[in-house]
Amino acid sequence: EAAALRGLDAPRGNLTYGKKKDSSILFYETIELLNSKWLIVKSVPVSSVYSDVNQILGIYLPTYLVFFVIALILTWNISSRFTFPIIELTGQMKNIKYGEPYQPLILKQKDEIGMLNDTFNSMIETINALIINEYELKLSNKNAQLRMLQAQLNPHFLNNALQSLGTLALQRQAPE
């Protein structure tokens, strides 16, 4: 160890000395005391430094892993609470877009997503009512057109029938 410390220029520092298994960290400092230089050296085995680290890792690493797993589970639960209803609502919107029959989506949530779902269901009911109203208006319009055509045809047929009767009466010389 003394050989390793010879030739050091810095008045204080540290260095690793020895083989990997048996190595030590040497902490040194040069001080002047009573007009002479003293070199104070503290040798700490690397294994004792790492034993504390290994002990800390042995305690904290499993704890961190448990908390990490709990955090993942909580994150999954919270995110699924928001994303799954949105995915269902989006799917319902796509079904309506492609003309599939509408079945109201019932969500138990009373937050913003639940309000969005309720508003969407209400909007679809209003659209369906408007479609039915428009269909009924078109149907009543067609019926009115048909009655108007019938009204035009009825006098024409009556006129033709009377004309035929008159012609027949004249041919048979029956003036009455």
Side-chain angles (χ1 to χ4, degrees):
E1 294 177 0
L5 293 171
R6 287 188 194 135
L8 294 174
D9 296 333
R12 69 171 53 178
N14 62 47
L15 60 99
T16 305
Y17 174 77
K19 297 178 184 178
K20 281 191 175 185
K21 272 188 173 180
D22 300 325
S23 62
S24 297
I25 299 174
L26 301 176
F27 296 95
Y28 64 92
E29 183 170 352
T30 306
I31 60 169
E32 283 194 38
L33 190 59
L34 302 172
N35 291 332
S36 63
K37 286 187 176 184
W38 291 85
L39 182 63
I40 299 174
V41 178
K42 167 82 173 166
S43 176
V44 178
V46 172
S47 60
S48 68
V49 172
Y50 287 131
S51 71
D52 291 342
V53 171
N54 289 335
Q55 187 179 18
I56 290 171
L57 282 177
I59 293 170
Y60 290 122
L61 187 61
T63 306
Y64 287 141
L65 288 176
V66 167
F67 280 119
F68 181 72
V69 168
I70 290 171
L72 280 178
I73 291 170
L74 289 175
T75 303
W76 174 258
N77 283 337
I78 291 170
S79 68
S80 65
R81 224 182 224 176
F82 291 110
T83 56
F84 288 155
I86 291 173
I87 289 170
E88 287 182 39
L89 191 58
T90 305
Q92 186 73 356
M93 289 176 184
K94 285 180 183 176
N95 289 344
I96 291 169
K97 176 182 177 183
Y98 296 122
E100 293 182 20
Y102 172 69
Q103 296 180 5
L105 183 64
I106 298 170
L107 296 177
K108 295 177 183 175
Q109 293 175 264
K110 297 299 176 197
D111 58 358
E112 291 83 2
I113 296 171
M115 289 172 44
L116 180 66
N117 180 58
D118 294 343
T119 305
F120 178 72
N121 287 337
S122 174
M123 180 186 70
I124 293 302
E125 289 173 8
T126 304
I127 289 172
N128 285 339
L130 290 172
I131 289 172
I132 290 170
N133 285 343
E134 183 180 348
Y135 177 75
E136 289 173 351
L137 284 173
K138 283 183 180 179
L139 187 62
S140 66
N141 189 18
K142 294 289 182 187
N143 284 337
Q145 287 176 351
L146 181 62
R147 282 192 301 270
M148 202 168 81
L149 286 173
Q150 284 175 340
Q152 288 175 353
L153 289 176
N154 285 340
H156 179 70
F157 284 124
L158 184 61
N159 187 28
N160 282 347
L162 289 175
Q163 196 74 359
S164 296
L165 286 174
T167 304
L168 223 92
L170 287 176
Q171 285 177 351
R172 300 211 179 153
Q173 298 174 353
E176 297 159 357

